[in-house]
Amino acid sequence: MAASDAKIGRRFEGKVAIVTASTQGIGLAIAERLGLEGAAVVISSRKQKNVDEAAEKLRAKGIEVLGLVCHVSNEQQRKSLIDKTVQKYGKIDVVVSNAAANPSVDPILETQGSVLDKLWEINVKASILLLQDAAPHLQKGSSIVFISSIAGYQPQASMAMYGVTKTALLGLTKALATEMAPNTRVNCVAPGFVPTHFADFLVKSDTIRNSMEESTLLKRLGTTEDMAAATAFLASDDASYITGETLVVAGGIPSRL
């Protein structure tokens, strides 16, 4: 991790945290950060092999982890994720909704209905349905964090509809913060450009990478650890008076005033 383990506190001692799509990239970094800070983390993704490998990595760092297969658009797998978490740990304190898909680079007006359905289903609807299942088990003082994107503020041409679904998460954060108050806080992180498997186009060529870096004030791409640190802050009691907000973690890329 970017921050040395010595600098990491134990803000999640005794807490149980579910992180979706958490076997690689930003999701895995978030699970690792929460785990290093004392949480029992429940990680998931679509493939058992990926779940097993990620769980092994986290356990090797002394993290208590439960690894489960969960395709977030599969109702049974979503319910199983919540049920098995509660069976093992008895409660839920943190839910980080990180799963996302971007199946198309077509302009919005040329995007097929089935692709629109998939984008909505995975990027927005699945988050709502997962929280419907989780809500009865959330503790007083619990925290929800959605992972949106800088694209939610300014959808780019090649991923415009993806950006629109990420905009929806900004509104969902506001709406659920109102609905789940005062016992549960709901916030959102909007990452900038982070080179992960999901966003490998960022590093496919030096030209693209350089132009992306130049578009930031800090002249670098984000890291998965940057996103994990911001998520851990919002999920922790350090942010106990913050709800309904989106924290942009994008190196100064313009989002709003």
Side-chain angles (χ1 to χ4, degrees):
M1 295 201 51
S4 74
D5 292 0
K7 291 182 189 168
I8 290 176
R10 302 287 289 181
R11 295 178 292 187
F12 297 96
E13 204 74 64
K15 300 283 179 81
V16 177
I18 294 174
V19 186
T20 63
S22 46
T23 58
Q24 59 186 13
I26 291 172
L28 179 58
I30 291 169
E32 180 179 327
R33 179 64 186 251
L34 298 179
L36 288 174
E37 290 209 37
V41 292
V42 181
I43 63 165
S44 64
S45 72
R46 291 176 298 171
K47 294 179 182 163
Q48 185 72 56
K49 178 174 175 286
N50 294 352
V51 170
D52 293 343
E53 285 173 5
E56 203 174 302
K57 277 182 202 164
L58 295 175
R59 286 193 190 106
K61 299 188 179 212
I63 293 168
E64 164 65 31
V65 58
L66 173 62
L68 300 168
V69 170
C70 179
H71 193 314
V72 292
S73 63
N74 181 309
E75 182 182 2
Q76 276 314 111
Q77 290 182 9
R78 274 196 317 268
K79 287 191 182 306
S80 176
L81 179 69
I82 300 302
D83 290 346
K84 286 180 176 172
T85 298
V86 174
Q87 278 165 23
K88 181 156 187 183
Y89 299 115
K91 62 169 186 165
I92 302 168
D93 298 289
V94 176
V95 178
V96 180
S97 185
N98 174 59
N102 184 26
S104 167
V105 292
D106 292 334
I108 291 174
L109 297 183
E110 293 172 22
T111 303
Q112 294 179 352
S114 60
V115 174
L116 293 174
D117 287 346
K118 183 176 181 182
L119 278 159
W120 168 253
E121 180 96 19
I122 293 174
N123 296 4
V124 184
K125 183 179 168 187
S127 290
I128 299 169
L129 295 175
L130 182 73
L131 290 178
Q132 286 179 358
D133 292 337
H137 309 287
L138 289 169
Q139 303 301 291
K140 188 172 184 180
S142 56
S143 178
I144 311 297
V145 183
F146 294 111
I147 307 301
S148 177
S149 169
I150 192 68
Y153 290 95
Q154 191 61 53
Q156 296 158 283
S158 62
M159 49 201 296
M161 198 59 217
Y162 167 84
V164 172
T165 62
K166 292 299 192 174
T167 310
L169 291 181
L170 309 185
L172 183 62
T173 297
K174 294 277 186 201
L176 283 180
T178 303
E179 191 170 309
M180 300 181 82
N183 291 334
T184 300
R185 296 182 301 105
V186 184
N187 290 294
C188 184
V189 171
F193 304 128
V194 182
T196 60
H197 176 68
F198 184 78
D200 60 356
F201 69 90
L202 293 176
V203 288
K204 272 187 175 163
S205 83
D206 288 344
T207 311
I208 293 173
R209 183 179 187 120
N210 291 339
S211 80
M212 292 289 187
E213 288 173 345
E214 282 304 311
S215 72
T216 74
L217 297 182
L218 300 181
K219 304 304 177 200
R220 70 172 177 87
L221 299 182
T223 66
T224 57
E225 289 85 5
D226 290 329
M227 306 310 139
T231 304
F233 164 66
L234 286 176
S236 79
D237 289 343
D238 282 343
S240 63
Y241 202 51
I242 301 174
T243 194
E245 299 297 343
T246 297
L247 179 55
V248 177
V249 189
I253 292 172
S255 53
R256 76 248 174 179
L257 285 174

